Amino acid sequence: MAWEWLSSIKNIAEIVASLGNLTKNNRATKDLLIRELTLNIKAFETAQNQKKINYDKLLALLKNERIQKAREARFLFSTIKSGEVEAKHATDSRNQKHIGKNCEWLFKSIDEKIDDLRNQKEYHGSLENIDKSSIARQFSNLFYKMKLLAEFIR
């Protein structure tokens, strides 16, 4: 039950393809941030192809270094996409709560969640040692936040 939510997602490849189109003709930091988002979504696609998900391995595939570097350099995330998330961007009902948020908030939230999961893994030794439904929910929330960001910026 902890992983059924990912198998129900049919458009991961479409999301990745649309992000690939955005990296043409953009500045380096913007390109690298979109690339990192794309690779993170692909990590979920890789995990989706397995019968049993190893959360430690999935976490190892997720990257947030480019987000952290951009934040340290005070990169203006609004250069990727200005404005705020609207109802038309939140195609999944669970993302309705993020209406009104902006690109910077979404990147920052994704960055912090990846770090939070890494901290949990470090503390517990493995994410497999934590209640599976809690970890599945956290990964699910992270994926849907990434999906919302992808839908917002494309």
Side-chain angles (χ1 to χ4, degrees):
M1 162 154 167
W3 200 245
E4 291 84 27
W5 63 270
L6 190 56
S7 63
S8 67
I9 299 166
K10 305 296 182 218
N11 60 342
I12 291 177
E14 178 186 322
I15 294 167
V16 169
S18 67
L19 288 172
N21 293 333
L22 290 173
T23 60
K24 297 172 185 159
N25 305 320
N26 290 320
R27 291 184 18 212
T29 301
K30 181 178 175 179
D31 291 350
L32 291 170
L33 287 167
I34 292 172
R35 181 178 185 275
E36 188 169 80
L37 176 63
T38 303
L39 291 173
N40 284 341
I41 291 172
K42 283 184 176 183
F44 281 93
E45 184 178 37
T46 298
Q48 182 184 37
N49 295 328
Q50 302 302 308
K51 290 181 181 176
K52 182 180 183 293
I53 302 307
N54 182 318
Y55 293 110
D56 293 333
K57 287 183 180 180
L58 177 56
L59 180 60
L61 294 175
L62 297 176
K63 306 294 182 218
N64 62 336
E65 291 83 13
R66 296 296 177 184
I67 300 172
Q68 291 175 347
K69 286 181 181 178
R71 290 176 70 186
E72 288 171 8
R74 299 191 184 272
F75 175 75
L76 295 175
F77 288 90
S78 60
T79 60
I80 295 175
K81 174 73 176 198
S82 61
E84 296 178 345
V85 173
E86 299 173 7
K88 67 181 181 183
H89 303 119
T91 58
D92 299 292
S93 61
R94 66 191 300 166
N95 280 334
Q96 296 294 314
K97 63 186 172 195
H98 302 306
I99 292 174
K101 304 295 185 188
N102 61 25
C103 193
E104 180 174 5
W105 184 91
L106 286 166
F107 271 109
K108 183 179 176 182
S109 181
I110 290 166
D111 174 40
E112 290 171 355
K113 189 59 192 170
I114 292 171
D115 278 347
D116 176 51
L117 287 164
R118 285 194 182 119
N119 288 341
Q120 290 181 60
K121 180 180 182 232
E122 186 174 330
Y123 182 82
H124 294 283
S126 172
L127 295 175
E128 303 298 319
N129 297 336
I130 305 172
D131 175 29
K132 294 260 194 283
S133 63
S134 169
I135 290 300
R137 184 174 52 253
Q138 291 178 57
F139 274 98
S140 172
N141 290 340
L142 175 60
F143 174 79
Y144 276 94
K145 208 172 280 179
M146 289 178 183
K147 184 175 182 283
L148 174 63
L149 178 57
E151 290 169 341
F152 177 58
I153 64 178
R154 67 178 170 167

